[in-house]
mmCIF file of all heavy atoms in Angstrom:
data_model
loop_
_atom_site.group_PDB
_atom_site.id
_atom_site.type_symbol
_atom_site.label_atom_id
_atom_site.label_comp_id
_atom_site.label_asym_id
_atom_site.label_seq_id
_atom_site.Cartn_x
_atom_site.Cartn_y
_atom_site.Cartn_z
ATOM 1 N N GLY A 1 0.771 -1.226 0.005
ATOM 2 C CA GLY A 1 -0.012 0.013 -0.006
ATOM 3 C C GLY A 1 0.814 1.289 0.002
ATOM 4 O O GLY A 1 0.248 2.380 0.092
ATOM 5 N N LYS A 2 2.130 1.134 -0.094
ATOM 6 C CA LYS A 2 2.994 2.317 -0.071
ATOM 7 C C LYS A 2 3.814 2.422 -1.343
ATOM 8 O O LYS A 2 3.998 1.436 -2.057
ATOM 9 C CB LYS A 2 3.891 2.286 1.149
ATOM 10 C CG LYS A 2 3.148 2.386 2.475
ATOM 11 C CD LYS A 2 4.114 2.563 3.649
ATOM 12 C CE LYS A 2 3.368 2.743 4.951
ATOM 13 N NZ LYS A 2 4.323 2.917 6.090
ATOM 14 N N GLN A 3 4.335 3.607 -1.577
ATOM 15 C CA GLN A 3 5.201 3.804 -2.730
ATOM 16 C C GLN A 3 6.620 3.249 -2.477
ATOM 17 O O GLN A 3 7.041 3.166 -1.311
ATOM 18 C CB GLN A 3 5.294 5.310 -3.075
ATOM 19 C CG GLN A 3 4.033 5.885 -3.638
ATOM 20 C CD GLN A 3 4.235 7.324 -4.115
ATOM 21 O OE1 GLN A 3 5.035 8.055 -3.575
ATOM 22 N NE2 GLN A 3 3.496 7.709 -5.137
ATOM 23 N N ARG A 4 7.288 2.886 -3.509
ATOM 24 C CA ARG A 4 8.666 2.449 -3.393
ATOM 25 C C ARG A 4 9.500 3.639 -2.914
ATOM 26 O O ARG A 4 9.376 4.770 -3.420
ATOM 27 C CB ARG A 4 9.182 1.923 -4.728
ATOM 28 C CG ARG A 4 10.497 1.175 -4.646
ATOM 29 C CD ARG A 4 10.790 0.457 -5.954
ATOM 30 N NE ARG A 4 9.807 -0.568 -6.256
ATOM 31 C CZ ARG A 4 9.968 -1.444 -7.254
ATOM 32 N NH1 ARG A 4 11.039 -1.403 -8.022
ATOM 33 N NH2 ARG A 4 9.022 -2.336 -7.495
ATOM 34 N N GLU A 5 10.386 3.374 -1.959
ATOM 35 C CA GLU A 5 11.211 4.457 -1.388
ATOM 36 C C GLU A 5 12.692 4.069 -1.346
ATOM 37 O O GLU A 5 13.044 2.875 -1.290
ATOM 38 C CB GLU A 5 10.733 4.776 0.039
ATOM 39 C CG GLU A 5 10.895 3.659 1.039
ATOM 40 C CD GLU A 5 10.582 4.079 2.459
ATOM 41 O OE1 GLU A 5 10.237 5.273 2.675
ATOM 42 O OE2 GLU A 5 10.676 3.246 3.350
ATOM 43 N N LEU A 6 13.514 5.079 -1.342
ATOM 44 C CA LEU A 6 14.940 4.887 -1.248
ATOM 45 C C LEU A 6 15.316 4.331 0.114
ATOM 46 O O LEU A 6 14.880 4.809 1.150
ATOM 47 C CB LEU A 6 15.663 6.205 -1.453
ATOM 48 C CG LEU A 6 17.144 6.262 -1.137
ATOM 49 C CD1 LEU A 6 17.939 5.455 -2.162
ATOM 50 C CD2 LEU A 6 17.639 7.677 -1.039
ATOM 51 N N VAL A 7 16.164 3.290 0.083
ATOM 52 C CA VAL A 7 16.798 2.805 1.312
ATOM 53 C C VAL A 7 18.254 3.331 1.355
ATOM 54 O O VAL A 7 18.615 4.073 2.261
ATOM 55 C CB VAL A 7 16.781 1.280 1.384
ATOM 56 C CG1 VAL A 7 17.496 0.797 2.656
ATOM 57 C CG2 VAL A 7 15.333 0.754 1.362
ATOM 58 N N ALA A 8 19.024 2.931 0.378
ATOM 59 C CA ALA A 8 20.423 3.372 0.318
ATOM 60 C C ALA A 8 20.980 3.092 -1.056
ATOM 61 O O ALA A 8 20.640 2.065 -1.687
ATOM 62 C CB ALA A 8 21.270 2.665 1.363
ATOM 63 N N VAL A 9 21.822 3.981 -1.572
ATOM 64 C CA VAL A 9 22.512 3.780 -2.837
ATOM 65 C C VAL A 9 23.957 4.184 -2.660
ATOM 66 O O VAL A 9 24.319 4.966 -1.772
ATOM 67 C CB VAL A 9 21.854 4.581 -3.974
ATOM 68 C CG1 VAL A 9 20.461 4.087 -4.270
ATOM 69 C CG2 VAL A 9 21.856 6.080 -3.679
ATOM 70 N N ILE A 10 24.782 3.654 -3.555
ATOM 71 C CA ILE A 10 26.207 3.989 -3.527
ATOM 72 C C ILE A 10 26.759 3.898 -4.937
ATOM 73 O O ILE A 10 26.457 2.954 -5.664
ATOM 74 C CB ILE A 10 26.989 3.053 -2.542
ATOM 75 C CG1 ILE A 10 28.426 3.509 -2.407
ATOM 76 C CG2 ILE A 10 26.855 1.603 -2.960
ATOM 77 C CD1 ILE A 10 29.155 2.814 -1.256
ATOM 78 N N THR A 11 27.561 4.869 -5.324
ATOM 79 C CA THR A 11 28.200 4.901 -6.618
ATOM 80 C C THR A 11 29.619 4.354 -6.528
ATOM 81 O O THR A 11 30.271 4.603 -5.523
ATOM 82 C CB THR A 11 28.235 6.352 -7.170
ATOM 83 O OG1 THR A 11 26.906 6.831 -7.227
ATOM 84 C CG2 THR A 11 28.862 6.408 -8.514
ATOM 85 N N ASN A 12 30.034 3.613 -7.536
ATOM 86 C CA ASN A 12 31.427 3.117 -7.494
ATOM 87 C C ASN A 12 32.374 4.315 -7.427
ATOM 88 O O ASN A 12 32.396 5.167 -8.312
ATOM 89 C CB ASN A 12 31.746 2.176 -8.641
ATOM 90 C CG ASN A 12 31.405 2.711 -10.003
ATOM 91 O OD1 ASN A 12 30.652 3.699 -10.101
ATOM 92 N ND2 ASN A 12 31.921 2.108 -11.036
ATOM 93 N N GLY A 13 33.144 4.371 -6.381
ATOM 94 C CA GLY A 13 34.040 5.483 -6.171
ATOM 95 C C GLY A 13 33.445 6.641 -5.398
ATOM 96 O O GLY A 13 34.110 7.639 -5.115
ATOM 97 N N GLY A 14 32.148 6.542 -5.092
ATOM 98 C CA GLY A 14 31.500 7.641 -4.379
ATOM 99 C C GLY A 14 30.978 7.214 -3.026
ATOM 100 O O GLY A 14 31.095 6.050 -2.625
ATOM 101 N N GLY A 15 30.381 8.163 -2.331
ATOM 102 C CA GLY A 15 29.860 7.891 -1.019
ATOM 103 C C GLY A 15 28.439 7.406 -1.057
ATOM 104 O O GLY A 15 27.771 7.437 -2.090
ATOM 105 N N PRO A 16 27.930 6.925 0.076
ATOM 106 C CA PRO A 16 26.558 6.418 0.143
ATOM 107 C C PRO A 16 25.551 7.537 0.355
ATOM 108 O O PRO A 16 25.898 8.627 0.814
ATOM 109 C CB PRO A 16 26.610 5.492 1.363
ATOM 110 C CG PRO A 16 27.631 6.131 2.248
ATOM 111 C CD PRO A 16 28.677 6.709 1.321
ATOM 112 N N ASN A 17 24.340 7.179 0.029
ATOM 113 C CA ASN A 17 23.220 8.076 0.271
ATOM 114 C C ASN A 17 22.113 7.243 0.881
ATOM 115 O O ASN A 17 21.729 6.201 0.310
ATOM 116 C CB ASN A 17 22.753 8.732 -1.049
ATOM 117 C CG ASN A 17 21.637 9.738 -0.804
ATOM 118 O OD1 ASN A 17 21.585 10.392 0.203
ATOM 119 N ND2 ASN A 17 20.761 9.854 -1.786
ATOM 120 N N TYR A 18 21.573 7.676 2.031
ATOM 121 C CA TYR A 18 20.579 6.880 2.768
ATOM 122 C C TYR A 18 19.242 7.583 2.848
ATOM 123 O O TYR A 18 19.185 8.835 2.929
ATOM 124 C CB TYR A 18 21.073 6.612 4.205
ATOM 125 C CG TYR A 18 22.277 5.749 4.315
ATOM 126 C CD1 TYR A 18 23.548 6.323 4.420
ATOM 127 C CD2 TYR A 18 22.177 4.376 4.272
ATOM 128 C CE1 TYR A 18 24.692 5.531 4.529
ATOM 129 C CE2 TYR A 18 23.302 3.567 4.376
ATOM 130 C CZ TYR A 18 24.551 4.150 4.499
ATOM 131 O OH TYR A 18 25.670 3.362 4.576
ATOM 132 N N GLY A 19 18.184 6.785 2.899
ATOM 133 C CA GLY A 19 16.878 7.319 3.222
ATOM 134 C C GLY A 19 16.859 7.719 4.692
ATOM 135 O O GLY A 19 17.542 7.110 5.532
ATOM 136 N N ASP A 20 16.067 8.725 5.041
ATOM 137 C CA ASP A 20 16.054 9.250 6.389
ATOM 138 C C ASP A 20 15.676 8.205 7.436
ATOM 139 O O ASP A 20 16.205 8.185 8.536
ATOM 140 C CB ASP A 20 15.084 10.435 6.514
ATOM 141 C CG ASP A 20 15.638 11.671 5.766
ATOM 142 O OD1 ASP A 20 16.853 11.740 5.528
ATOM 143 O OD2 ASP A 20 14.810 12.549 5.455
ATOM 144 N N SER A 21 14.774 7.297 7.066
ATOM 145 C CA SER A 21 14.269 6.355 8.053
ATOM 146 C C SER A 21 15.273 5.259 8.429
ATOM 147 O O SER A 21 15.050 4.539 9.397
ATOM 148 C CB SER A 21 12.995 5.718 7.527
ATOM 149 O OG SER A 21 13.267 4.981 6.343
ATOM 150 N N VAL A 22 16.355 5.126 7.686
ATOM 151 C CA VAL A 22 17.310 4.037 7.965
ATOM 152 C C VAL A 22 18.671 4.549 8.402
ATOM 153 O O VAL A 22 19.558 3.752 8.735
ATOM 154 C CB VAL A 22 17.490 3.122 6.727
ATOM 155 C CG1 VAL A 22 16.126 2.596 6.281
ATOM 156 C CG2 VAL A 22 18.225 3.797 5.594
ATOM 157 N N LYS A 23 18.862 5.875 8.399
ATOM 158 C CA LYS A 23 20.152 6.413 8.794
ATOM 159 C C LYS A 23 20.532 5.983 10.201
ATOM 160 O O LYS A 23 19.705 6.020 11.117
ATOM 161 C CB LYS A 23 20.123 7.933 8.686
ATOM 162 C CG LYS A 23 20.113 8.470 7.276
ATOM 163 C CD LYS A 23 20.062 9.993 7.255
ATOM 164 C CE LYS A 23 20.085 10.495 5.783
ATOM 165 N NZ LYS A 23 19.958 11.965 5.720
ATOM 166 N N GLY A 24 21.765 5.523 10.356
ATOM 167 C CA GLY A 24 22.221 5.101 11.640
ATOM 168 C C GLY A 24 21.991 3.629 11.933
ATOM 169 O O GLY A 24 22.524 3.084 12.889
ATOM 170 N N ARG A 25 21.151 2.988 11.109
ATOM 171 C CA ARG A 25 20.828 1.570 11.334
ATOM 172 C C ARG A 25 21.288 0.683 10.172
ATOM 173 O O ARG A 25 21.616 -0.489 10.361
ATOM 174 C CB ARG A 25 19.326 1.388 11.547
ATOM 175 C CG ARG A 25 18.771 2.134 12.738
ATOM 176 C CD ARG A 25 17.311 1.785 12.995
ATOM 177 N NE ARG A 25 16.462 2.147 11.892
ATOM 178 C CZ ARG A 25 15.705 1.299 11.205
ATOM 179 N NH1 ARG A 25 15.674 0.029 11.502
ATOM 180 N NH2 ARG A 25 14.947 1.741 10.195
ATOM 181 N N PHE A 26 21.265 1.216 8.989
ATOM 182 C CA PHE A 26 21.624 0.450 7.796
ATOM 183 C C PHE A 26 22.956 0.979 7.239
ATOM 184 O O PHE A 26 23.217 2.195 7.311
ATOM 185 C CB PHE A 26 20.567 0.597 6.714
ATOM 186 C CG PHE A 26 19.246 -0.061 7.015
ATOM 187 C CD1 PHE A 26 18.957 -0.573 8.271
ATOM 188 C CD2 PHE A 26 18.293 -0.174 6.033
ATOM 189 C CE1 PHE A 26 17.734 -1.170 8.533
ATOM 190 C CE2 PHE A 26 17.060 -0.775 6.270
ATOM 191 C CZ PHE A 26 16.784 -1.281 7.542
ATOM 192 N N THR A 27 23.734 0.070 6.706
ATOM 193 C CA THR A 27 24.995 0.430 6.075
ATOM 194 C C THR A 27 25.107 -0.220 4.715
ATOM 195 O O THR A 27 24.982 -1.471 4.611
ATOM 196 C CB THR A 27 26.190 0.001 6.949
ATOM 197 O OG1 THR A 27 26.087 0.601 8.264
ATOM 198 C CG2 THR A 27 27.500 0.447 6.315
ATOM 199 N N ILE A 28 25.348 0.574 3.716
ATOM 200 C CA ILE A 28 25.524 0.035 2.358
ATOM 201 C C ILE A 28 27.007 0.007 2.020
ATOM 202 O O ILE A 28 27.783 0.914 2.403
ATOM 203 C CB ILE A 28 24.727 0.865 1.326
ATOM 204 C CG1 ILE A 28 24.706 0.144 -0.032
ATOM 205 C CG2 ILE A 28 25.263 2.270 1.207
ATOM 206 C CD1 ILE A 28 23.723 0.747 -1.029
ATOM 207 N N SER A 29 27.419 -1.027 1.329
ATOM 208 C CA SER A 29 28.805 -1.135 0.865
ATOM 209 C C SER A 29 28.803 -1.873 -0.461
ATOM 210 O O SER A 29 27.787 -2.479 -0.856
ATOM 211 C CB SER A 29 29.664 -1.849 1.896
ATOM 212 O OG SER A 29 29.191 -3.171 2.110
ATOM 213 N N ARG A 30 29.921 -1.800 -1.156
ATOM 214 C CA ARG A 30 29.994 -2.506 -2.441
ATOM 215 C C ARG A 30 31.363 -3.036 -2.685
ATOM 216 O O ARG A 30 32.362 -2.490 -2.185
ATOM 217 C CB ARG A 30 29.528 -1.628 -3.583
ATOM 218 C CG ARG A 30 30.321 -0.340 -3.828
ATOM 219 C CD ARG A 30 29.696 0.483 -4.959
ATOM 220 N NE ARG A 30 29.836 -0.184 -6.264
ATOM 221 C CZ ARG A 30 29.124 0.164 -7.320
ATOM 222 N NH1 ARG A 30 28.220 1.132 -7.270
ATOM 223 N NH2 ARG A 30 29.338 -0.483 -8.451
ATOM 224 N N ASP A 31 31.416 -4.110 -3.435
ATOM 225 C CA ASP A 31 32.647 -4.713 -3.905
ATOM 226 C C ASP A 31 32.679 -4.521 -5.384
ATOM 227 O O ASP A 31 31.985 -5.215 -6.154
ATOM 228 C CB ASP A 31 32.658 -6.216 -3.538
ATOM 229 C CG ASP A 31 33.942 -6.913 -3.932
ATOM 230 O OD1 ASP A 31 34.608 -6.438 -4.884
ATOM 231 O OD2 ASP A 31 34.255 -7.942 -3.323
ATOM 232 N N ASN A 32 33.464 -3.554 -5.856
ATOM 233 C CA ASN A 32 33.462 -3.221 -7.276
ATOM 234 C C ASN A 32 34.022 -4.368 -8.131
ATOM 235 O O ASN A 32 33.569 -4.571 -9.254
ATOM 236 C CB ASN A 32 34.282 -1.949 -7.522
ATOM 237 C CG ASN A 32 33.575 -0.730 -6.960
ATOM 238 O OD1 ASN A 32 32.357 -0.619 -6.920
ATOM 239 N ND2 ASN A 32 34.371 0.230 -6.486
ATOM 240 N N ALA A 33 34.949 -5.092 -7.599
ATOM 241 C CA ALA A 33 35.528 -6.215 -8.354
ATOM 242 C C ALA A 33 34.510 -7.304 -8.605
ATOM 243 O O ALA A 33 34.543 -7.991 -9.632
ATOM 244 C CB ALA A 33 36.725 -6.789 -7.617
ATOM 245 N N GLN A 34 33.566 -7.442 -7.664
ATOM 246 C CA GLN A 34 32.529 -8.489 -7.770
ATOM 247 C C GLN A 34 31.190 -7.915 -8.254
ATOM 248 O O GLN A 34 30.221 -8.652 -8.398
ATOM 249 C CB GLN A 34 32.315 -9.186 -6.430
ATOM 250 C CG GLN A 34 33.567 -9.880 -5.901
ATOM 251 C CD GLN A 34 33.972 -11.044 -6.761
ATOM 252 O OE1 GLN A 34 33.106 -11.762 -7.340
ATOM 253 N NE2 GLN A 34 35.271 -11.242 -6.946
ATOM 254 N N ASN A 35 31.163 -6.608 -8.502
ATOM 255 C CA ASN A 35 29.911 -5.944 -8.921
ATOM 256 C C ASN A 35 28.782 -6.291 -7.985
ATOM 257 O O ASN A 35 27.646 -6.639 -8.429
ATOM 258 C CB ASN A 35 29.569 -6.330 -10.366
ATOM 259 C CG ASN A 35 30.621 -5.873 -11.345
ATOM 260 O OD1 ASN A 35 31.026 -4.712 -11.343
ATOM 261 N ND2 ASN A 35 31.117 -6.788 -12.145
ATOM 262 N N THR A 36 29.063 -6.239 -6.718
ATOM 263 C CA THR A 36 28.087 -6.649 -5.696
ATOM 264 C C THR A 36 27.894 -5.532 -4.678
ATOM 265 O O THR A 36 28.873 -4.884 -4.275
ATOM 266 C CB THR A 36 28.558 -7.931 -4.983
ATOM 267 O OG1 THR A 36 28.692 -8.986 -5.962
ATOM 268 C CG2 THR A 36 27.547 -8.359 -3.901
ATOM 269 N N VAL A 37 26.658 -5.342 -4.289
ATOM 270 C CA VAL A 37 26.340 -4.356 -3.271
ATOM 271 C C VAL A 37 25.711 -5.076 -2.090
ATOM 272 O O VAL A 37 24.985 -6.048 -2.265
ATOM 273 C CB VAL A 37 25.416 -3.232 -3.812
ATOM 274 C CG1 VAL A 37 24.030 -3.793 -4.219
ATOM 275 C CG2 VAL A 37 25.273 -2.126 -2.823
ATOM 276 N N TYR A 38 26.043 -4.593 -0.902
ATOM 277 C CA TYR A 38 25.541 -5.217 0.314
ATOM 278 C C TYR A 38 24.771 -4.183 1.133
ATOM 279 O O TYR A 38 25.080 -2.985 1.108
ATOM 280 C CB TYR A 38 26.711 -5.734 1.177
ATOM 281 C CG TYR A 38 27.595 -6.692 0.444
ATOM 282 C CD1 TYR A 38 28.754 -6.258 -0.174
ATOM 283 C CD2 TYR A 38 27.290 -8.059 0.376
ATOM 284 C CE1 TYR A 38 29.579 -7.144 -0.847
ATOM 285 C CE2 TYR A 38 28.109 -8.951 -0.307
ATOM 286 C CZ TYR A 38 29.260 -8.465 -0.915
ATOM 287 O OH TYR A 38 30.077 -9.368 -1.568
ATOM 288 N N LEU A 39 23.803 -4.646 1.890
ATOM 289 C CA LEU A 39 23.056 -3.789 2.810
ATOM 290 C C LEU A 39 23.002 -4.488 4.159
ATOM 291 O O LEU A 39 22.343 -5.515 4.302
ATOM 292 C CB LEU A 39 21.653 -3.530 2.308
ATOM 293 C CG LEU A 39 20.846 -2.526 3.139
ATOM 294 C CD1 LEU A 39 21.445 -1.130 3.022
ATOM 295 C CD2 LEU A 39 19.377 -2.523 2.736
ATOM 296 N N GLN A 40 23.779 -3.955 5.101
ATOM 297 C CA GLN A 40 23.747 -4.479 6.456
ATOM 298 C C GLN A 40 22.693 -3.713 7.219
ATOM 299 O O GLN A 40 22.772 -2.513 7.321
ATOM 300 C CB GLN A 40 25.104 -4.314 7.120
ATOM 301 C CG GLN A 40 25.170 -4.833 8.542
ATOM 302 C CD GLN A 40 24.997 -6.349 8.633
ATOM 303 O OE1 GLN A 40 25.656 -7.097 7.945
ATOM 304 N NE2 GLN A 40 24.095 -6.787 9.486
ATOM 305 N N MET A 41 21.734 -4.456 7.775
ATOM 306 C CA MET A 41 20.642 -3.849 8.479
ATOM 307 C C MET A 41 20.645 -4.303 9.927
ATOM 308 O O MET A 41 20.693 -5.506 10.191
ATOM 309 C CB MET A 41 19.293 -4.232 7.824
ATOM 310 C CG MET A 41 19.242 -3.935 6.356
ATOM 311 S SD MET A 41 17.642 -4.330 5.601
ATOM 312 C CE MET A 41 17.670 -6.113 5.679
ATOM 313 N N ILE A 42 20.687 -3.386 10.847
ATOM 314 C CA ILE A 42 20.653 -3.696 12.267
ATOM 315 C C ILE A 42 19.481 -2.966 12.915
ATOM 316 O O ILE A 42 18.872 -2.059 12.306
ATOM 317 C CB ILE A 42 21.964 -3.315 12.972
ATOM 318 C CG1 ILE A 42 22.173 -1.801 12.964
ATOM 319 C CG2 ILE A 42 23.143 -4.037 12.339
ATOM 320 C CD1 ILE A 42 23.340 -1.365 13.857
ATOM 321 N N ASP A 43 19.168 -3.371 14.141
ATOM 322 C CA ASP A 43 18.083 -2.742 14.884
ATOM 323 C C ASP A 43 16.805 -2.661 14.037
ATOM 324 O O ASP A 43 16.172 -1.588 13.936
ATOM 325 C CB ASP A 43 18.481 -1.346 15.373
ATOM 326 C CG ASP A 43 17.507 -0.745 16.378
ATOM 327 O OD1 ASP A 43 16.778 -1.523 17.008
ATOM 328 O OD2 ASP A 43 17.462 0.491 16.483
ATOM 329 N N LEU A 44 16.438 -3.749 13.420
ATOM 330 C CA LEU A 44 15.292 -3.766 12.522
ATOM 331 C C LEU A 44 13.988 -3.546 13.285
ATOM 332 O O LEU A 44 13.836 -3.991 14.442
ATOM 333 C CB LEU A 44 15.252 -5.080 11.736
ATOM 334 C CG LEU A 44 16.253 -5.133 10.572
ATOM 335 C CD1 LEU A 44 16.525 -6.557 10.155
ATOM 336 C CD2 LEU A 44 15.763 -4.314 9.404
ATOM 337 N N LYS A 45 13.075 -2.858 12.634
ATOM 338 C CA LYS A 45 11.797 -2.508 13.208
ATOM 339 C C LYS A 45 10.660 -3.062 12.334
ATOM 340 O O LYS A 45 10.886 -3.282 11.145
ATOM 341 C CB LYS A 45 11.677 -0.995 13.317
ATOM 342 C CG LYS A 45 12.814 -0.336 14.081
ATOM 343 C CD LYS A 45 12.703 1.193 14.048
ATOM 344 C CE LYS A 45 13.853 1.844 14.788
ATOM 345 N NZ LYS A 45 13.754 3.323 14.772
#
């Protein structure tokens, strides 16, 4: 029932950008060699 919203994005060579509701709880990272992005989520609600 809700619109799709930003959680977190990251550009290869750039910094991350987080949605307000997940700041401080989620961490995005990427492995450029593996073309893989990870999202570590803690304190889930």
Side-chain angles (χ1 to χ4, degrees):
K2 295 187 176 181
Q3 289 187 330
R4 193 170 296 189
E5 64 174 358
L6 168 71
V7 177
V9 295
I10 185 168
T11 301
N12 51 344
N17 183 32
Y18 295 96
D20 289 340
S21 62
V22 306
K23 287 180 180 177
R25 299 187 298 121
F26 292 10
T27 303
I28 190 169
S29 61
R30 62 184 290 165
D31 182 336
N32 291 327
Q34 298 296 323
N35 298 308
T36 300
V37 65
Y38 304 95
L39 184 69
Q40 179 66 51
M41 306 183 291
I42 66 171
D43 191 23
L44 283 160
K45 305 175 181 180

